[in-house]
Amino acid sequence: MIVRVSTALYRAALLCYPMAFRTRFGRELLSGFEDELRGRVATSTSAALGLTLLRCGGAVGQGLAARAQTEFRSRVLAGWSQELRVVARNLMRSPGHSLVSLAILSTAVGTSTLLFAIVYATLLAPSPYPDAERLVVGWGSNVSNGQLRDVVSGANYVDMSDGSTSFVALGAIKGDGAVLEEEGRPVVVPALRVTPEFFEALDVPATLGRTIDTTETFSGSEPVIVLSHQLWIERFESSPDVVGTRIRVDLEFATVIGVMGAEFGTLFPVQAYLPLYRDVIAAQDRTSYNYWMIGRLAETATIERASGELDATMDVIAETDPRLRNWSVLLEPLDTIGKVPVRAPMLALSAAVGLLALVATFNLAGLELVRGTTRTPEWAVRRALGGGRGHLVRLMVSETALLAGVGCLLSFPVATGGLRLLRHHAPATIPVPGSAAQVTSFHASFGWATLLWMALTALAIIGLSRVPALVQARGARLDTSTRTTATARMGRVRDSFVLLQLAFASALLMGAALAGSTMKNILDIDVGLAPENVLTMYAGNVSGDAATRARYFTDILGAVQQVPGVRSVGVNDYVPLQSEDDFAGLLLHDRPPPPPGSGLREEWRRVSSDYFATAGVAVLDGRGFEPADYTGGRPVAVINRAFASKHYPGADPVGETLTIWNGGIGDATIVGVVADVRRRGILVAAPPVLYAPFHLGSRGNMAVFVATEGPPEALLDSVREAIWSVDSSQPIDRVLTLTQVVDAAVGLHRFTLAVLLALAGIAVPLASLGAFGVTAFALRARRRELGIRLALGATHQRLAARVLRDAVALGVAGITGGLGLAALAGSLARSLLVGVTPYAIVPAAAVSCIVLASVIIATLIPVRGLRRVEAAESLRVE
Amino acid sequence: MHFAYMQNAQIEKFLPLKPRVSLMLLTLRDSPAHGYRLMHAIEERSGGTARMDPGLVYRTLVRLGTQGLIKECPPPGDSTDRRRRYYRLTEVGRRVVDAEVERQQLLLGQLQAAPEVGRQ
């Protein structure tokens, strides 16, 4: 009984196999099963039942798999390979059309892929730090003095980190340079000085060795260094044995204790990490602001609670030190700090790339419609011969897939070439608004997500561009009685495609025009410098007392002045426009006293006597510094115009006196007023600045400015040798011409302009090509109508004027739409515009002229062919 | 020489063999067999760790036949079972299974020569 039932069941399960397989093996499988079953029945009924279930299940699974395989082979593979052959033949038949389509597609897909690679890596990719939502950055904030994202002092940091329970770890960091040695010469690499809590907060272990621990952060402890991944690769050739070696850092030997991973440096573009000595920073003056804080919130803590806790500590400090009364702490999620500054440019570029993709889509759709109309008879014949709609759709899909595949391959060089250009021209870092901090401007990654995006974009562009042609193919009949209406309808669709292309291209061009106006306005800004023929570099890492440091820079000034071709030479604490902060505590004499407890704090710079002349800073009132000011006697000071307007409005500040608390300088007399020099980027107005002679509390590292007779680059080697002739162990770094410094300050805007111009440069000719193709085609399709008009007495000129009028109307409609779109986008990205509104008349007029001219030219070429239309001939042709 | 190279290339393209296919071909190297015999032989040779559904055995046999590694043959002289189809190795099949055995032996030799993980 059980054998009979089980056999019947197995026989039924075998039905799942394809017929051919059953015919060949059915009996054998069945008899094998019966043999097996009899063996099991002899053992037990349950064993027989188990075997039945197992074999029936196997037969169903295997049968269905075999069936699917056979179906796939016979239908899909064979069918599609045939379709693909037909499609490839079709595409080869009109090589010009196919090549143009592929060029348009690969440009659109390449640019969109590149942008996605950047947007994904910069804005969307998961943070390299675990539980990044709990990471915060802490700024010192003095809103009443306009300092929103400033630094905190070491002593205040120590108190805050000791008195807080909201953080798992709260570290302090300071951007700095580390002096390494290369071929016997000192070189400076960007570095971060950090407390161990910095690594603890970010919670990323070293990939080799370890990070800094608490025993290494007290003065006198063994010097150590942690290398970035990049430095490890470039300087140490990825040697795994680097950990434990001793290298020269800042003129002494330090032990390499670890190497960080490549991802770790995403937000901090530095090459090395050095310890901050906790006892040293704790002993610093409470107004010696130097550090940012990076913290990891405890699981139960919130930003608000942590802020409240830190502010409470600051309040306690302010009770004993009234100078800190207006200072609080601003905590922000670390994740947003890296993303906020790049969001607006990314948005603008995404919109531009999106517009280009749309122009490309409608362009291809227009081309396809033109080609589709010529292919209508082919569709009709295929349908008449029994080709179902499915067959036609499959042909279309094959064509789409083939074009998209080839388009993807061709877009690789576009994307990678674009990335190379970006790496070369885009600014490496972008300032965080309202702060001296800089973050990496963009990263790019070509991973699976990017490849998927590339494939989807290609399919979307090609797929969308085929929809109108598909709709057209639906109506394909051998019967020609409906062709005229269909052609007229398609004509309107084609016109609307041209209109959309012109609109998107105009919007893109308007974006470029607005970026151009912005650039012009920025270049017109007076930065307060005469940057031509001036070389700048940072020199020195001099330790020792102020007198030793001052002597070093005095000797440098003398040595460089002797170099033939040097006009003048000066030093300043920093190069302007690079967001450096340095404040002095001041007391102005004969002025209303500041509110009790809130000391006056302004930017200050220490400079040499020839600095103003060398950098081209104009002396507006009184005098600049003279050599006598550097030889002792009562200190003098020079202020900038912003300082004068803020503190001496309507009065002559020359001759006024003040006290400079920093460096024990004491009382000084103001001897002159100089022009404002932009400090924090080119768009931020210069703050009040006080200049003092550099020998009063000179820094160990200063910026040297060298004005030259000819091109400054030519003198670089001689200037460097002159500086090293004073002390060859001192480093020289960040060598730039002052022109490059100004250029770098406008880097982001220049870069946005260049990209928009490039995209508009592609989109406008593309849209014109669309207009040309459609006009040429429409004229050919209207040959009969034009012939009749000629026969009825119309002249060629009138016909040409009519065609041109239609094209101009289309152009005007497209431009109007495009300008509206640009105005909308511009008002969303106002932060990128300087001195120009999205509704500006001049750029709009220029864009209108360019687009309209290109439409007219694109129309005139085919219209010239109208002259050859003869009434009788065109009627005969029909 | 050229011919030998072509032959080797022809063999190489089948390698490495999947474990169950190796066991099937090894069984067939000893003597011709039918599908059910092969199914049991795989289980025996692998010590019970590899099992195949009879349907999969037959589908694999079809594929190996298409690839030219095995061929249907008359039942051996002593067999009286006319319900079953028997298969034997072709010359190419024999060389493929020999090459696979050689490859596995070489790999095993290298693995045995390698220092053990964790050994100082």
Side-chain angles (χ1 to χ4, degrees), chain B residues 11-43:
Chain B
I11 303 301
E12 291 288 323
K13 77 177 183 193
F14 292 106
L15 302 184
L17 292 175
K18 287 183 179 166
R20 287 173 196 184
V21 174
S22 303
L23 294 175
M24 271 171 112
L25 295 183
L26 275 174
T27 310
L28 289 176
R29 191 167 71 162
D30 297 342
S31 64
H34 56 73
Y36 256 85
R37 169 77 198 99
L38 286 171
M39 184 181 85
H40 292 303
I42 288 168
E43 200 170 333

mmCIF file of all heavy atoms in Angstrom, chain B residues 11-43:
data_model
loop_
_atom_site.group_PDB
_atom_site.id
_atom_site.type_symbol
_atom_site.label_atom_id
_atom_site.label_comp_id
_atom_site.label_asym_id
_atom_site.label_seq_id
_atom_site.Cartn_x
_atom_site.Cartn_y
_atom_site.Cartn_z
ATOM 1 N N ILE B 11 41.731 20.686 -21.594
ATOM 2 C CA ILE B 11 41.530 20.028 -20.301
ATOM 3 C C ILE B 11 41.398 21.079 -19.202
ATOM 4 O O ILE B 11 40.511 21.005 -18.347
ATOM 5 C CB ILE B 11 42.733 19.085 -19.989
ATOM 6 C CG1 ILE B 11 42.916 18.049 -21.089
ATOM 7 C CG2 ILE B 11 42.555 18.410 -18.623
ATOM 8 C CD1 ILE B 11 41.733 17.151 -21.321
ATOM 9 N N GLU B 12 42.316 22.077 -19.253
ATOM 10 C CA GLU B 12 42.377 23.092 -18.190
ATOM 11 C C GLU B 12 41.054 23.827 -18.011
ATOM 12 O O GLU B 12 40.709 24.220 -16.914
ATOM 13 C CB GLU B 12 43.468 24.137 -18.515
ATOM 14 C CG GLU B 12 44.889 23.602 -18.434
ATOM 15 C CD GLU B 12 45.322 23.367 -16.994
ATOM 16 O OE1 GLU B 12 44.921 24.175 -16.143
ATOM 17 O OE2 GLU B 12 46.018 22.369 -16.738
ATOM 18 N N LYS B 13 40.333 23.997 -19.110
ATOM 19 C CA LYS B 13 39.123 24.824 -19.004
ATOM 20 C C LYS B 13 38.054 24.175 -18.117
ATOM 21 O O LYS B 13 37.158 24.843 -17.630
ATOM 22 C CB LYS B 13 38.559 25.154 -20.387
ATOM 23 C CG LYS B 13 37.821 24.037 -21.037
ATOM 24 C CD LYS B 13 37.245 24.466 -22.355
ATOM 25 C CE LYS B 13 36.435 23.330 -22.940
ATOM 26 N NZ LYS B 13 36.059 23.470 -24.300
ATOM 27 N N PHE B 14 38.195 22.838 -17.862
ATOM 28 C CA PHE B 14 37.207 22.185 -16.994
ATOM 29 C C PHE B 14 37.577 22.288 -15.511
ATOM 30 O O PHE B 14 36.781 21.937 -14.646
ATOM 31 C CB PHE B 14 37.090 20.693 -17.358
ATOM 32 C CG PHE B 14 36.467 20.463 -18.706
ATOM 33 C CD1 PHE B 14 37.227 20.074 -19.790
ATOM 34 C CD2 PHE B 14 35.099 20.663 -18.883
ATOM 35 C CE1 PHE B 14 36.654 19.874 -21.036
ATOM 36 C CE2 PHE B 14 34.521 20.467 -20.137
ATOM 37 C CZ PHE B 14 35.302 20.071 -21.207
ATOM 38 N N LEU B 15 38.822 22.696 -15.247
ATOM 39 C CA LEU B 15 39.328 22.675 -13.874
ATOM 40 C C LEU B 15 39.148 24.026 -13.195
ATOM 41 O O LEU B 15 39.203 25.050 -13.872
ATOM 42 C CB LEU B 15 40.812 22.291 -13.876
ATOM 43 C CG LEU B 15 41.122 20.941 -14.531
ATOM 44 C CD1 LEU B 15 42.608 20.643 -14.379
ATOM 45 C CD2 LEU B 15 40.301 19.818 -13.912
ATOM 46 N N PRO B 16 39.008 24.099 -11.887
ATOM 47 C CA PRO B 16 38.840 22.950 -10.994
ATOM 48 C C PRO B 16 37.433 22.383 -11.089
ATOM 49 O O PRO B 16 36.491 23.106 -11.382
ATOM 50 C CB PRO B 16 39.075 23.574 -9.610
ATOM 51 C CG PRO B 16 38.655 25.003 -9.772
ATOM 52 C CD PRO B 16 38.971 25.374 -11.185
ATOM 53 N N LEU B 17 37.306 21.092 -10.819
ATOM 54 C CA LEU B 17 35.982 20.444 -10.836
ATOM 55 C C LEU B 17 35.294 20.674 -9.497
ATOM 56 O O LEU B 17 35.961 20.829 -8.464
ATOM 57 C CB LEU B 17 36.144 18.948 -11.058
ATOM 58 C CG LEU B 17 36.655 18.492 -12.421
ATOM 59 C CD1 LEU B 17 36.857 16.979 -12.415
ATOM 60 C CD2 LEU B 17 35.685 18.872 -13.535
ATOM 61 N N LYS B 18 33.968 20.700 -9.541
ATOM 62 C CA LYS B 18 33.237 20.797 -8.272
ATOM 63 C C LYS B 18 33.405 19.466 -7.548
ATOM 64 O O LYS B 18 33.518 18.417 -8.196
ATOM 65 C CB LYS B 18 31.762 21.072 -8.543
ATOM 66 C CG LYS B 18 31.536 22.495 -9.000
ATOM 67 C CD LYS B 18 30.085 22.752 -9.195
ATOM 68 C CE LYS B 18 29.861 24.193 -9.636
ATOM 69 N NZ LYS B 18 28.541 24.416 -10.151
ATOM 70 N N PRO B 19 33.407 19.471 -6.201
ATOM 71 C CA PRO B 19 33.677 18.230 -5.443
ATOM 72 C C PRO B 19 32.785 17.061 -5.873
ATOM 73 O O PRO B 19 33.269 15.952 -6.088
ATOM 74 C CB PRO B 19 33.417 18.627 -3.998
ATOM 75 C CG PRO B 19 33.586 20.095 -3.960
ATOM 76 C CD PRO B 19 33.231 20.616 -5.315
ATOM 77 N N ARG B 20 31.486 17.320 -6.033
ATOM 78 C CA ARG B 20 30.590 16.188 -6.352
ATOM 79 C C ARG B 20 30.845 15.658 -7.754
ATOM 80 O O ARG B 20 30.753 14.461 -8.003
ATOM 81 C CB ARG B 20 29.138 16.628 -6.221
ATOM 82 C CG ARG B 20 28.778 16.797 -4.777
ATOM 83 C CD ARG B 20 27.437 17.388 -4.645
ATOM 84 N NE ARG B 20 27.260 17.902 -3.288
ATOM 85 C CZ ARG B 20 26.162 18.422 -2.835
ATOM 86 N NH1 ARG B 20 25.119 18.522 -3.619
ATOM 87 N NH2 ARG B 20 26.085 18.850 -1.615
ATOM 88 N N VAL B 21 31.176 16.583 -8.678
ATOM 89 C CA VAL B 21 31.480 16.137 -10.042
ATOM 90 C C VAL B 21 32.751 15.308 -10.019
ATOM 91 O O VAL B 21 32.850 14.268 -10.687
ATOM 92 C CB VAL B 21 31.617 17.353 -10.981
ATOM 93 C CG1 VAL B 21 32.065 16.929 -12.369
ATOM 94 C CG2 VAL B 21 30.301 18.098 -11.054
ATOM 95 N N SER B 22 33.746 15.736 -9.206
ATOM 96 C CA SER B 22 34.987 14.955 -9.088
ATOM 97 C C SER B 22 34.667 13.540 -8.637
ATOM 98 O O SER B 22 35.178 12.565 -9.202
ATOM 99 C CB SER B 22 35.923 15.572 -8.050
ATOM 100 O OG SER B 22 36.210 16.862 -8.366
ATOM 101 N N LEU B 23 33.808 13.442 -7.605
ATOM 102 C CA LEU B 23 33.481 12.118 -7.079
ATOM 103 C C LEU B 23 32.767 11.274 -8.126
ATOM 104 O O LEU B 23 33.012 10.071 -8.259
ATOM 105 C CB LEU B 23 32.612 12.247 -5.822
ATOM 106 C CG LEU B 23 33.313 12.891 -4.612
ATOM 107 C CD1 LEU B 23 32.334 13.091 -3.469
ATOM 108 C CD2 LEU B 23 34.470 12.012 -4.153
ATOM 109 N N MET B 24 31.885 11.903 -8.906
ATOM 110 C CA MET B 24 31.177 11.168 -9.977
ATOM 111 C C MET B 24 32.171 10.637 -10.991
ATOM 112 O O MET B 24 32.139 9.455 -11.362
ATOM 113 C CB MET B 24 30.209 12.116 -10.703
ATOM 114 C CG MET B 24 28.834 12.183 -10.107
ATOM 115 S SD MET B 24 27.929 13.516 -10.904
ATOM 116 C CE MET B 24 26.736 12.584 -11.768
ATOM 117 N N LEU B 25 33.081 11.511 -11.444
ATOM 118 C CA LEU B 25 34.021 11.104 -12.488
ATOM 119 C C LEU B 25 35.001 10.060 -11.964
ATOM 120 O O LEU B 25 35.380 9.130 -12.688
ATOM 121 C CB LEU B 25 34.780 12.324 -13.032
ATOM 122 C CG LEU B 25 33.915 13.357 -13.767
ATOM 123 C CD1 LEU B 25 34.764 14.478 -14.317
ATOM 124 C CD2 LEU B 25 33.117 12.714 -14.898
ATOM 125 N N LEU B 26 35.396 10.181 -10.679
ATOM 126 C CA LEU B 26 36.296 9.182 -10.093
ATOM 127 C C LEU B 26 35.623 7.815 -10.079
ATOM 128 O O LEU B 26 36.244 6.796 -10.371
ATOM 129 C CB LEU B 26 36.659 9.588 -8.656
ATOM 130 C CG LEU B 26 37.830 10.567 -8.527
ATOM 131 C CD1 LEU B 26 37.992 10.993 -7.074
ATOM 132 C CD2 LEU B 26 39.124 9.927 -9.021
ATOM 133 N N THR B 27 34.325 7.814 -9.741
ATOM 134 C CA THR B 27 33.588 6.543 -9.736
ATOM 135 C C THR B 27 33.559 5.947 -11.141
ATOM 136 O O THR B 27 33.777 4.746 -11.333
ATOM 137 C CB THR B 27 32.141 6.787 -9.250
ATOM 138 O OG1 THR B 27 32.195 7.526 -8.042
ATOM 139 C CG2 THR B 27 31.401 5.490 -9.016
ATOM 140 N N LEU B 28 33.297 6.827 -12.116
ATOM 141 C CA LEU B 28 33.213 6.331 -13.499
ATOM 142 C C LEU B 28 34.576 5.873 -14.014
ATOM 143 O O LEU B 28 34.666 5.101 -14.958
ATOM 144 C CB LEU B 28 32.635 7.413 -14.408
ATOM 145 C CG LEU B 28 31.141 7.707 -14.195
ATOM 146 C CD1 LEU B 28 30.701 8.849 -15.078
ATOM 147 C CD2 LEU B 28 30.304 6.464 -14.501
ATOM 148 N N ARG B 29 35.688 6.415 -13.412
ATOM 149 C CA ARG B 29 37.014 5.986 -13.862
ATOM 150 C C ARG B 29 37.235 4.518 -13.518
ATOM 151 O O ARG B 29 37.922 3.796 -14.229
ATOM 152 C CB ARG B 29 38.090 6.855 -13.188
ATOM 153 C CG ARG B 29 39.457 6.643 -13.811
ATOM 154 C CD ARG B 29 40.430 7.696 -13.372
ATOM 155 N NE ARG B 29 40.792 7.505 -11.954
ATOM 156 C CZ ARG B 29 41.868 8.058 -11.407
ATOM 157 N NH1 ARG B 29 42.644 8.839 -12.128
ATOM 158 N NH2 ARG B 29 42.127 7.861 -10.140
ATOM 159 N N ASP B 30 36.607 4.090 -12.403
ATOM 160 C CA ASP B 30 36.777 2.681 -12.003
ATOM 161 C C ASP B 30 35.977 1.741 -12.899
ATOM 162 O O ASP B 30 36.471 0.728 -13.349
ATOM 163 C CB ASP B 30 36.315 2.487 -10.550
ATOM 164 C CG ASP B 30 37.180 3.307 -9.597
ATOM 165 O OD1 ASP B 30 38.292 3.708 -10.042
ATOM 166 O OD2 ASP B 30 36.748 3.563 -8.463
ATOM 167 N N SER B 31 34.724 2.133 -13.176
ATOM 168 C CA SER B 31 33.892 1.268 -14.037
ATOM 169 C C SER B 31 32.666 2.041 -14.486
ATOM 170 O O SER B 31 32.290 3.025 -13.824
ATOM 171 C CB SER B 31 33.445 0.023 -13.260
ATOM 172 O OG SER B 31 32.619 0.437 -12.200
ATOM 173 N N PRO B 32 32.019 1.619 -15.575
ATOM 174 C CA PRO B 32 30.778 2.301 -15.976
ATOM 175 C C PRO B 32 29.731 2.166 -14.874
ATOM 176 O O PRO B 32 29.769 1.212 -14.099
ATOM 177 C CB PRO B 32 30.347 1.540 -17.236
ATOM 178 C CG PRO B 32 31.573 0.876 -17.739
ATOM 179 C CD PRO B 32 32.399 0.556 -16.540
ATOM 180 N N ALA B 33 28.831 3.143 -14.784
ATOM 181 C CA ALA B 33 27.812 3.085 -13.719
ATOM 182 C C ALA B 33 26.560 3.805 -14.187
ATOM 183 O O ALA B 33 26.609 4.610 -15.131
ATOM 184 C CB ALA B 33 28.348 3.730 -12.455
ATOM 185 N N HIS B 34 25.427 3.533 -13.520
ATOM 186 C CA HIS B 34 24.195 4.250 -13.827
ATOM 187 C C HIS B 34 23.957 5.310 -12.771
ATOM 188 O O HIS B 34 24.671 5.382 -11.742
ATOM 189 C CB HIS B 34 23.018 3.280 -13.938
ATOM 190 C CG HIS B 34 22.814 2.431 -12.727
ATOM 191 N ND1 HIS B 34 22.304 2.910 -11.549
ATOM 192 C CD2 HIS B 34 23.081 1.110 -12.513
ATOM 193 C CE1 HIS B 34 22.250 1.952 -10.655
ATOM 194 N NE2 HIS B 34 22.708 0.831 -11.223
ATOM 195 N N GLY B 35 22.946 6.164 -12.988
ATOM 196 C CA GLY B 35 22.703 7.321 -12.143
ATOM 197 C C GLY B 35 22.559 6.984 -10.671
ATOM 198 O O GLY B 35 23.198 7.608 -9.810
ATOM 199 N N TYR B 36 21.724 5.970 -10.358
ATOM 200 C CA TYR B 36 21.507 5.651 -8.953
ATOM 201 C C TYR B 36 22.765 5.125 -8.283
ATOM 202 O O TYR B 36 23.050 5.415 -7.134
ATOM 203 C CB TYR B 36 20.352 4.649 -8.816
ATOM 204 C CG TYR B 36 19.098 5.338 -8.337
ATOM 205 C CD1 TYR B 36 18.258 5.950 -9.264
ATOM 206 C CD2 TYR B 36 18.800 5.448 -6.991
ATOM 207 C CE1 TYR B 36 17.134 6.633 -8.848
ATOM 208 C CE2 TYR B 36 17.686 6.124 -6.557
ATOM 209 C CZ TYR B 36 16.846 6.714 -7.489
ATOM 210 O OH TYR B 36 15.755 7.389 -7.067
ATOM 211 N N ARG B 37 23.545 4.374 -9.066
ATOM 212 C CA ARG B 37 24.819 3.851 -8.534
ATOM 213 C C ARG B 37 25.734 5.033 -8.183
ATOM 214 O O ARG B 37 26.386 5.060 -7.137
ATOM 215 C CB ARG B 37 25.444 2.938 -9.606
ATOM 216 C CG ARG B 37 26.871 2.524 -9.339
ATOM 217 C CD ARG B 37 26.939 1.423 -8.265
ATOM 218 N NE ARG B 37 28.267 1.319 -7.714
ATOM 219 C CZ ARG B 37 28.670 1.848 -6.565
ATOM 220 N NH1 ARG B 37 27.822 2.534 -5.819
ATOM 221 N NH2 ARG B 37 29.896 1.684 -6.129
ATOM 222 N N LEU B 38 25.763 6.018 -9.098
ATOM 223 C CA LEU B 38 26.609 7.191 -8.869
ATOM 224 C C LEU B 38 26.165 7.957 -7.617
ATOM 225 O O LEU B 38 26.990 8.409 -6.826
ATOM 226 C CB LEU B 38 26.565 8.128 -10.077
ATOM 227 C CG LEU B 38 27.354 7.647 -11.299
ATOM 228 C CD1 LEU B 38 27.054 8.534 -12.502
ATOM 229 C CD2 LEU B 38 28.850 7.646 -11.007
ATOM 230 N N MET B 39 24.839 8.047 -7.442
ATOM 231 C CA MET B 39 24.299 8.757 -6.288
ATOM 232 C C MET B 39 24.809 8.113 -4.982
ATOM 233 O O MET B 39 25.269 8.798 -4.069
ATOM 234 C CB MET B 39 22.771 8.728 -6.336
ATOM 235 C CG MET B 39 22.119 9.529 -5.234
ATOM 236 S SD MET B 39 20.334 9.408 -5.360
ATOM 237 C CE MET B 39 20.047 7.888 -4.478
ATOM 238 N N HIS B 40 24.744 6.779 -4.934
ATOM 239 C CA HIS B 40 25.205 6.088 -3.731
ATOM 240 C C HIS B 40 26.716 6.179 -3.590
ATOM 241 O O HIS B 40 27.245 6.332 -2.488
ATOM 242 C CB HIS B 40 24.760 4.613 -3.776
ATOM 243 C CG HIS B 40 23.260 4.464 -3.659
ATOM 244 N ND1 HIS B 40 22.552 4.969 -2.588
ATOM 245 C CD2 HIS B 40 22.327 3.893 -4.475
ATOM 246 C CE1 HIS B 40 21.264 4.727 -2.751
ATOM 247 N NE2 HIS B 40 21.092 4.064 -3.905
ATOM 248 N N ALA B 41 27.418 6.120 -4.735
ATOM 249 C CA ALA B 41 28.889 6.143 -4.695
ATOM 250 C C ALA B 41 29.379 7.481 -4.125
ATOM 251 O O ALA B 41 30.338 7.521 -3.342
ATOM 252 C CB ALA B 41 29.450 5.939 -6.104
ATOM 253 N N ILE B 42 28.712 8.584 -4.510
ATOM 254 C CA ILE B 42 29.115 9.903 -4.000
ATOM 255 C C ILE B 42 29.000 9.920 -2.484
ATOM 256 O O ILE B 42 29.894 10.376 -1.774
ATOM 257 C CB ILE B 42 28.244 11.008 -4.634
ATOM 258 C CG1 ILE B 42 28.625 11.191 -6.095
ATOM 259 C CG2 ILE B 42 28.385 12.333 -3.880
ATOM 260 C CD1 ILE B 42 27.648 12.028 -6.873
ATOM 261 N N GLU B 43 27.898 9.361 -1.992
ATOM 262 C CA GLU B 43 27.673 9.354 -0.546
ATOM 263 C C GLU B 43 28.740 8.507 0.162
ATOM 264 O O GLU B 43 29.300 8.927 1.180
ATOM 265 C CB GLU B 43 26.266 8.805 -0.273
ATOM 266 C CG GLU B 43 25.762 9.185 1.094
ATOM 267 C CD GLU B 43 24.288 8.854 1.274
ATOM 268 O OE1 GLU B 43 23.554 8.827 0.268
ATOM 269 O OE2 GLU B 43 23.895 8.615 2.431
#
